[in-house]
């Protein structure tokens, strides 16, 4: 996959999470309806995006650390196993777990809720296949910045991985924030929560299927 397609896929993943009501816009709209003003919706968006980004960051940091100490030929099958395994779990039991906080919660509480919700959904796991293709080029770029004759060391590799991981988290968070802002404000101002009763996509089922499908596709991708 080319670099451009990797970043487009990352943006698309952030947009998907932004559309999913369980990832936060529904909570933001509920705040707005409770207080009767648009500003409450907008105020809820930053902590929701921050909590989501922190959850993704945990996955990125964990993966980059594992990547530095694991044989390259083991990373792909391990990623496949994680995606299919967690997707299967979400398909069978994931819908039974819900994270609840009070409607009077503040910035910290909403950030924590978003972090826990994103983690429970495995929001950062779908980024793993993209990281497989991003970390090596990032490490080589870090090496090239060290000047001619430089050799790849653990420190240089870690710096390259950290830069790539940070970029991934920021792009993903920005895409999600834009989408939850648009969806949340549109629902609050015009559509209303009745749209969820009239007909809505089962995002839990779609997400579980996407995790499993991506794992299977990665298994056959060379």
């Amino acid at each position: 996959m080319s670099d451009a397609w990797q970043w487009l896929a990352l943006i698309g993943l952030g947009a998907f999470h932004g559309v999913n009501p369980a990832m936060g816009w529904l909570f933001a709209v509920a705040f707005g309806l409770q207080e009767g003003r648009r500003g409450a919706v907008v105020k809820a968006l930053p902590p929701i995006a921050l909590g989501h980004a922190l959850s993704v960051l945990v996955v990125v940091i964990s993966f980059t650390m594992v990547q530095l100490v694991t044989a390259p030929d083991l990373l792909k099958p391990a990623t496949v196993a994680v995606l299919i395994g967690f997707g299967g779990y979400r398909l069978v039991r994931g819908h039974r777990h819900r994270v609840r906080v009070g409607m009077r919660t503040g910035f910290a509480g909403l950030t924590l809720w978003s972090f826990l919700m994103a983690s429970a959904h495995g929001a950062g796991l779908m980024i793993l296949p993209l990281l497989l293709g991003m970390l090596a080029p990032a490490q080589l770029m870090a090496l090239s910045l060290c000047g001619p004759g430089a050799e790849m060391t653990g420190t240089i590799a870690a710096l390259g991985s950290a830069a790539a991981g940070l970029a991934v988290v920021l792009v993903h968070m920005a895409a999600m924030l834009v989408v939850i802002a648009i969806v949340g404000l549109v629902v609050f101002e015009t559509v209303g929560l009745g749209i969820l009763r009239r007909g809505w996509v089962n995002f839990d089922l779609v997400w579980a299927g996407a995790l499993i499908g991506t794992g299977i596709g990665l298994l056959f991708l060379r």
Side-chain angles (χ1 to χ4, degrees), residues 105-186:
T105 188
F107 189 99
L110 195 51
T111 300
L112 177 61
W113 171 84
S114 180
F115 172 83
L116 294 175
M117 182 63 76
S119 299
H121 278 75
L125 296 182
M126 196 68 85
I127 291 176
L128 296 183
L130 299 175
L131 286 176
L132 282 173
M134 289 179 173
L135 292 185
Q139 291 167 0
L140 291 175
M141 180 176 293
L143 178 63
S144 67
L145 294 175
C146 293
E151 296 182 359
M152 181 66 73
T153 64
T155 301
I156 294 175
L159 289 174
S161 298
L166 181 60
V168 163
V169 172
L170 291 177
V171 170
H172 180 80
M173 182 181 69
M176 179 197 171
L177 181 57
V178 169
V179 174
I180 62 171
I182 293 173
V183 175
L185 290 173
V186 168

Side-chain angles (χ1 to χ4, degrees), residues 1 4-21 23 52-53 55-57 59-60 83 118 121-131 134 168-180 203 206-212 214:
M1 183 183 295
W5 281 110
Q6 288 176 331
W7 290 108
L8 287 175
L10 183 62
I11 292 171
L13 180 59
F16 176 84
H17 285 154
V19 172
N20 186 349
M23 291 292 102
H52 188 94
S55 175
V56 174
L57 181 62
V59 174
V60 171
L83 290 172
H121 278 75
L125 296 182
M126 196 68 85
I127 291 176
L128 296 183
L130 299 175
L131 286 176
M134 289 179 173
V168 163
V169 172
L170 291 177
V171 170
H172 180 80
M173 182 181 69
M176 179 197 171
L177 181 57
V178 169
V179 174
I180 62 171
F203 281 93
V206 172
W207 181 243
L211 287 169
I212 295 173
T214 301

